[in-house]
Amino acid sequence: MDWGQIFGNAAVELISPTTAAYALAALGLAVHFGFTGLLNFGQAGFMLLGAYGYAIPALRLGWPWWACLLTSLLASVIFALILGIPTLRLRADYLAIVTIAAAEVLRLTFTTNEFAPVTGSANGLSEYQRDLLTLNPLPDGRYGFGPWVFSDRAWFFLILGWIIVILAAVLTWLLMRSPWGRVIKGIREDEDAVRALGKNVYSYKMQSLILGGLFGTIAGIIFVMPRAVVPSYFQPTLTFFIYAILLLGGAATILGPILGSIVFWVLLSFFSGFIARAVEAGWLPFMTQVQAGQLRFILVGVAIMLIVVFMPQGILGNKKELAFVK
C-alpha cells in the first residue's frame, strides 16, 4: 500500500481547479439557498452554459477570451430570467422542479447529434483555451514542491481559479453586509414581512437568482479549463454534489462553501486511492475496480453524514442558520 501516493493525491485536491470550481458553484448556491431561500436544483445548467458559452465562440467563431466570457455571462442571465419569471412568484418547490428539468433539457440538447457540428455532441469540445493561455505569465516547464508539482499551464488555471473564488467570496461578503443583503436574508426568513415593508420581493429574488447563476457560470468555465467540455460532466448529480458541499461547509456562510469543497474533494480523492490500492493488494478480493469506484462515493457519503450528525449546521455554520435549514 503506497500511502505516500494516496495522501499526495489527496493533497493535490486541496488547491486543484476542480476544487475551486465546485467552491464557486457552491458559493452561488449559498446566495440562492443559504441567504435567499431559493431552491435551485439546476446549478449544473448554469455551469454547462458557462462551459459551452465560452468554448463554442472560441472554437467556432475565433472570438477572444473576453468576448467568450461575456457570451457565457449573457447566456446565464437569459437562462436565469427564463427560469425565474414564471416561478419566483410561486412557491419555492416550483423553482426546484423547473431548474432541475431545465438543466437536464440543456444537457440533452447539447448531447444530441443534431447540433454536433457546433457542440461536438457526446464527444464534446477541446482546444478552446488557446487565447486565454496567451495571458499566462508563467515560464514553461513543471515546478512546485511536494505533491504540488504541475505544468505552467496547470498552475495558470489553478491560480486564476482561486483568484476568482476569492474575489467572489469578497463580493458576496460585501453584498451580504449591505442593505441589499439584509433584504435578501429577510426574504429567507419571512418574505411576507419584507413585502409588507414595501420591498419588491420578486425583484430581489430575481437579482439573487442571476447573481448565484453567474457564479455557477464562471465555475463551469473554471471546471472545464484544464479539460475538454463534455456534456456528461453536467448531470444532475453535479448539483447534488454541490449541495452536499454547501451543507457540509455551512449553508449561509461565505467561507463554508470553500471549506466544504476542499473537504469533499480531499475525502473523495483519499477514498478513491485507498480503495483502488486495497483491491490491487487483494484486501478486497470480492470487489472489482469498477465496484471500488462506486464504493468511494459511499464512503464519502458516510463521512459527510457523520459530519452532518455531529455538526448539523455545517463546519462553519451557526445555530441561527441551522434553524433555517431545518
Side-chain angles (χ1 to χ4, degrees):
M1 183 73 68
D2 189 352
W3 290 104
Q5 185 176 3
I6 293 173
F7 282 108
N9 291 339
V12 167
E13 297 301 331
L14 286 169
I15 59 172
S16 72
T18 300
T19 303
Y22 273 70
L24 183 58
L27 188 60
L29 278 188
V31 173
H32 289 161
F33 175 69
F35 291 111
T36 316
L38 300 178
L39 286 173
N40 169 26
F41 283 152
Q43 193 72 330
F46 285 103
M47 294 179 70
L48 181 146
L49 286 176
Y52 278 97
Y54 186 98
I56 291 175
L59 275 178
R60 308 307 185 199
L61 302 175
W63 287 4
W65 68 268
W66 57 267
C68 299
L69 175 61
L70 290 178
T71 301
S72 297
L73 298 179
L74 179 60
S76 174
V77 172
I78 294 173
F79 186 56
L81 291 172
I82 292 173
L83 296 179
I85 288 175
T87 61
L88 291 181
R89 297 185 188 276
L90 305 174
R91 298 196 316 265
D93 51 348
Y94 284 94
L95 179 63
I97 295 169
V98 169
T99 50
I100 193 172
E104 190 64 0
V105 167
L106 273 180
R107 185 182 70 82
L108 294 175
T109 300
F110 279 87
T111 305
T112 182
N113 291 328
E114 293 294 327
F115 304 111
V118 177
T119 66
S121 187
N123 295 323
L125 302 172
S126 59
E127 301 301 325
Y128 49 85
Q129 307 95 334
R130 294 174 183 172
D131 187 65
L132 183 62
L133 284 171
T134 60
L135 303 178
N136 184 5
L138 303 174
D140 294 339
R142 293 180 60 86
Y143 35 84
F145 61 94
W148 301 286
V149 178
F150 311 118
S151 67
D152 59 293
R153 170 175 166 150
W155 274 116
F156 175 64
F157 291 139
L158 185 155
I159 294 170
L160 181 64
W162 282 107
I163 288 175
I164 294 173
V165 170
I166 292 170
L167 292 176
V170 172
L171 174 63
T172 306
W173 180 75
L174 292 173
L175 286 174
M176 293 309 156
R177 289 170 57 89
S178 69
W180 184 86
R182 288 192 286 272
V183 173
I184 287 296
K185 288 183 278 190
I187 292 172
R188 176 194 69 186
E189 300 295 339
D190 189 343
E191 66 177 74
D192 290 331
V194 174
R195 191 177 289 109
L197 294 174
K199 301 296 183 181
N200 189 335
V201 171
Y202 173 76
S203 176
Y204 277 93
K205 283 184 175 181
M206 183 65 75
Q207 294 168 36
S208 175
L209 183 64
I210 291 174
L211 177 61
L214 290 175
F215 284 177
T217 298
I218 300 173
I221 298 174
I222 296 172
F223 178 67
V224 299
M225 271 301 157
R227 53 180 68 88
V229 179
V230 181
S232 60
Y233 290 155
F234 305 99
Q235 298 185 36
T237 51
L238 173 61
T239 298
F240 299 135
F241 285 164
I242 298 171
Y243 261 107
I245 287 169
L246 175 66
L247 298 177
L248 178 62
T253 64
I254 305 299
L255 296 179
I258 299 173
L259 181 59
S261 181
I262 292 172
V263 172
F264 178 86
W265 280 105
V266 168
L267 287 176
L268 188 61
S269 177
F270 173 79
F271 285 126
S272 179
F274 172 76
I275 296 170
R277 300 304 185 280
V279 172
E280 291 176 0
W283 293 3
L284 301 172
F286 54 88
M287 184 172 294
T288 65
Q289 287 290 355
V290 175
Q291 292 170 328
Q294 300 302 316
L295 181 59
R296 63 175 179 159
F297 290 106
I298 297 175
L299 294 178
V300 171
V302 171
I304 293 176
M305 286 171 57
L306 292 175
I307 293 174
V308 170
V309 167
F310 293 102
M311 290 183 291
Q313 73 277 22
I315 298 174
L316 298 180
N318 52 52
K319 295 186 182 299
K320 182 178 180 181
E321 173 191 327
L322 173 60
F324 163 68
V325 174
K326 284 184 176 179

